[in-house]
Amino acid sequence: SDMALTMYAAGGIGLAASQVAVLQQVAVVDVSSDQKERLTLVNPRVVWKDGDVPSEEGCLSIPDFRDTIKRSERIVLQAQDEWGKEFELEASGILAICIQHEVDHLQGVLFIDHLSRLKREFFKKWHRKRSEEA
């Protein structure tokens, strides 16, 4: 619940434990407009993917930077809920994209790691400039 509060306060739709210095395989996701459909994902694994779709993404770990990457359009996820009950979820659209983004975090991957080499170089220059201005 602390992670969900942090996610909602930051205006995000997903947050992985690693983003808040918790070394556990836990993420929270809520893509609803009323913040009433939170999913807690413990030990999440994407076990099936289908389709490619462009996804404009941002990240609470990298505020103010957005870019478009490719994600799978549909997924099947296996995870446990916050009480340890195993479940399987079929997801598509923004929910599938958000889940993939958060599972990436738990594996040490940021969305910028999916960018082309040229776009990563642009990001590095953008980040350096921002750091110098701060």
Side-chain angles (χ1 to χ4, degrees):
S1 60
D2 286 345
M3 284 179 56
L5 291 173
T6 300
M7 173 184 70
Y8 293 137
I13 60 171
L15 185 70
S18 55
Q19 291 178 274
V20 289
V22 174
L23 300 179
Q24 296 180 358
Q25 292 290 302
V26 178
V28 290
V29 171
D30 189 343
V31 299
S32 69
S33 59
D34 61 1
Q35 299 180 338
K36 293 187 179 188
E37 297 179 27
R38 181 183 86 206
L39 290 172
T40 300
L41 311 173
V42 179
N43 299 319
R45 293 180 301 124
V46 176
V47 295
W48 179 83
K49 298 178 182 186
D50 185 50
D52 278 331
V53 63
S55 171
E56 184 184 343
E57 296 189 22
C59 184
L60 297 176
S61 297
I62 311 168
D64 302 323
F65 184 80
R66 300 184 68 78
D67 211 324
T68 301
I69 64 170
K70 294 256 187 193
R71 291 282 186 191
S72 295
E73 189 173 19
R74 294 176 302 281
I75 65 166
V76 173
L77 173 83
Q78 291 179 344
Q80 295 169 293
D81 64 19
E82 58 265 45
W83 299 283
K85 183 178 178 194
E86 293 182 3
F87 68 94
E88 188 170 281
L89 172 72
E90 292 183 35
S92 61
I94 188 69
L95 179 58
I97 289 167
C98 185
I99 288 170
Q100 290 170 82
H101 181 105
E102 299 312 325
V103 169
D104 271 0
H105 271 298
L106 297 176
Q107 296 172 351
V109 176
L110 294 174
F111 87 97
I112 59 172
D113 295 325
H114 293 284
L115 296 174
S116 68
R117 189 166 47 132
L118 182 64
K119 285 187 174 186
R120 272 196 307 274
E121 288 303 316
F122 171 80
F123 168 75
K124 288 176 189 177
K125 289 177 186 174
W126 175 87
H127 189 269
R128 235 180 272 120
K129 184 177 179 185
R130 258 186 74 117
S131 297
E132 291 169 359
E133 292 172 356

